[in-house]
Amino acid sequence: MLARGSTIGILGGGQLGRMMAMSSAQLGYRTIGFAPEGDNVSGPLNDDFVTAAWDDTDALAAFAARCDVVTWEFENVPVDTARAIPHDKIFPDPHALETAQDRLNEKRFVESLGGRPAAYAKVDSSHDLIAAVDRLGAPGILKTRRDGYDGKGQWRIGSSRDAEGLRLPDAPCIYEGFVEFDAEFSVILVRSREGEIRFWDSTRNVHEGGILAASHYPAGNQITAQTDAARTLARKVADALKYVGVLTLEFFATHEGPIFNEMAPRVHNSGHWTIEGAATSQFENHIRAVAGLPLGDTRTIAPSIEMRNIIGSDIDDAYSFLSGSAYHLHDYGKAEASEGRKMGHVTRLQHNTRG
């Protein structure tokens, strides 16, 4: 267990790191961030921030020496960067990053544990793509195997003609067959150093343009009926990775049961509602886990919750939400409100049926 006043290092400088730093301070810990030059909005919330390239081994070594434990706040931290931190200091194990960063390996890993992803095929050439569309059908989605989030690095394939005319990106790809689903949901868990696992309630997630727009609780009967099966897989994934911290798996709710979409080895946008809506937030429990503290209660504390992302220039009007007493605004402090960029979120808790 980390002593009071210990230092937690956070790889990454985005809003997730910002909220981790807040929870760390609440628990009496210092934080140091590490990320390349950029709009590192977590910087002002950390006690210190190191701006250096991911492959700057000297800077990483100096950073690690100042930290008692290290974690990360987004899944595109290079695996080599995470592995440069002494193994007994970094949580989760970098193998979780390595697994999640390649969509093909991720799906094969989940299948090995009994999970069901969407039908998929490896694509390294135009011939591969045409063959994949012929075998799996269209519509479907072509994705780069690495990088890409919030709809980036993805192309919808509506027909074999689309496949024939598409210029492939200069990167390994994967083609996923279309899944007929009724809803999307996520399973968010926290696993301690000792292997204890706790789950938050699942929300119904609504995406617009490939970006999470809103999460709703209760999630609805169909999702609730499939949550146990999804949790069983999530537990297997967490145990197989010997995971420590918060882990998220996203699913499609279908008439055949839950279909695995992807996993995120980190705190997750669809869990932001837990800050106000759960007894212990995903951010506090992540810090508790990596610090070796007892896990907090994950129960939901309101009968109805909505979390909505604030995208791009919508942040200019976000403070209008505060005229409603049930709303909680989180402004991430980002300077540039570009199209499609998550600038903040707002959570609404309804504590009674009258509103």
Side-chain angles (χ1 to χ4, degrees):
M1 183 179 78
L2 286 190
R4 175 174 176 268
S6 296
T7 298
I8 298 175
I10 302 173
L11 297 171
Q15 65 263 21
L16 301 180
R18 181 183 176 99
M19 289 181 268
M20 281 185 193
M22 292 179 182
S23 289
S24 297
Q26 172 191 332
L27 292 169
Y29 297 124
R30 300 178 70 256
T31 55
I32 303 175
F34 185 106
E37 183 116 14
D39 189 6
N40 291 315
V41 296
S42 70
L45 279 297
N46 289 296
D47 295 276
D48 196 5
F49 198 91
V50 178
T51 302
W54 291 125
D55 60 356
D56 187 333
T57 54
D58 290 339
L60 278 168
F63 164 76
R66 297 173 61 194
C67 300
D68 296 289
V69 297
V70 177
T71 189
W72 59 76
E73 60 105 28
F74 79 121
E75 68 269 46
N76 287 331
V77 171
V79 174
D80 287 345
T81 298
R83 292 201 187 282
I85 308 298
H87 189 264
D88 61 348
K89 278 191 176 184
I90 189 160
F91 301 97
D93 189 293
H95 181 54
L97 275 181
E98 188 174 36
T99 302
Q101 283 181 359
D102 186 313
R103 289 184 171 92
L104 179 63
N105 292 343
E106 177 188 71
K107 290 179 187 298
R108 288 173 173 171
F109 170 69
V110 166
E111 281 184 317
S112 74
L113 297 174
R116 291 188 300 161
Y120 65 92
K122 178 181 177 183
V123 173
D124 290 326
S125 66
S126 296
H127 175 77
D128 289 345
L129 177 58
I130 293 169
V133 173
D134 286 343
R135 181 165 64 87
L136 302 180
I141 302 290
L142 178 69
K143 300 179 180 180
T144 55
R145 282 173 54 179
R146 293 184 173 274
D147 302 321
Y149 60 95
D150 289 345
K152 300 177 179 68
Q154 301 184 16
W155 298 266
R156 181 179 174 86
I157 306 295
S159 66
S160 56
R161 181 172 295 180
D162 289 344
E164 292 169 359
L166 181 67
R167 182 176 179 180
L168 289 178
D170 187 22
C173 293
I174 186 171
Y175 179 74
E176 298 179 8
F178 180 72
V179 176
E180 292 189 11
F181 63 91
D182 297 304
E184 296 176 81
F185 69 102
S186 50
V187 169
I188 305 178
L189 64 82
V190 61
R191 187 176 186 273
S192 73
R193 293 192 189 186
E194 294 73 32
E196 178 189 0
I197 291 178
R198 297 187 180 187
F199 294 92
W200 284 271
D201 284 320
S202 288
T203 56
R204 177 170 56 87
N205 299 329
V206 179
H207 290 81
E208 296 175 2
I211 301 173
L212 180 68
S215 296
H216 301 272
Y217 173 85
N221 292 337
Q222 184 176 26
I223 290 174
T224 300
Q226 299 187 19
T227 298
D228 283 348
R231 284 184 175 184
T232 296
L233 175 62
R235 182 182 292 275
K236 289 179 180 179
V237 169
D239 286 340
L241 294 172
K242 296 182 174 57
Y243 198 88
V244 175
V246 170
L247 173 69
T248 307
L249 274 69
E250 296 181 73
F251 292 90
F252 300 113
T254 78
H255 68 280
E256 296 178 345
I259 300 296
F260 170 80
N261 182 22
E262 61 185 20
M263 77 178 199
R266 56 170 171 83
V267 290
H268 196 260
N269 193 179
S270 65
H272 287 355
W273 64 270
T274 64
I275 298 173
E276 289 86 21
T280 310
S281 77
Q282 63 168 344
F283 299 100
E284 180 178 338
N285 256 339
H286 183 79
I287 297 303
R288 287 190 185 210
V290 302
L293 297 174
L295 298 181
D297 188 352
T298 54
R299 64 187 167 85
T300 303
I301 61 174
S304 177
I305 302 171
E306 177 187 29
M307 187 286 297
R308 185 164 292 277
N309 276 320
I310 301 169
I311 307 295
S313 60
D314 288 349
I315 192 66
D316 296 335
D317 299 319
Y319 285 83
S320 63
F321 281 108
L322 298 181
S323 60
S325 60
Y327 287 91
H328 302 267
L329 174 65
H330 296 258
D331 185 330
Y332 302 153
K334 295 181 179 180
E336 183 181 349
S338 56
E339 182 180 354
R341 193 178 193 202
K342 294 173 182 172
M343 301 297 294
H345 73 269
V346 63
T347 303
R348 179 176 182 268
L349 272 63
Q350 184 173 317
H351 288 285
N352 58 61
T353 56
R354 293 186 177 183

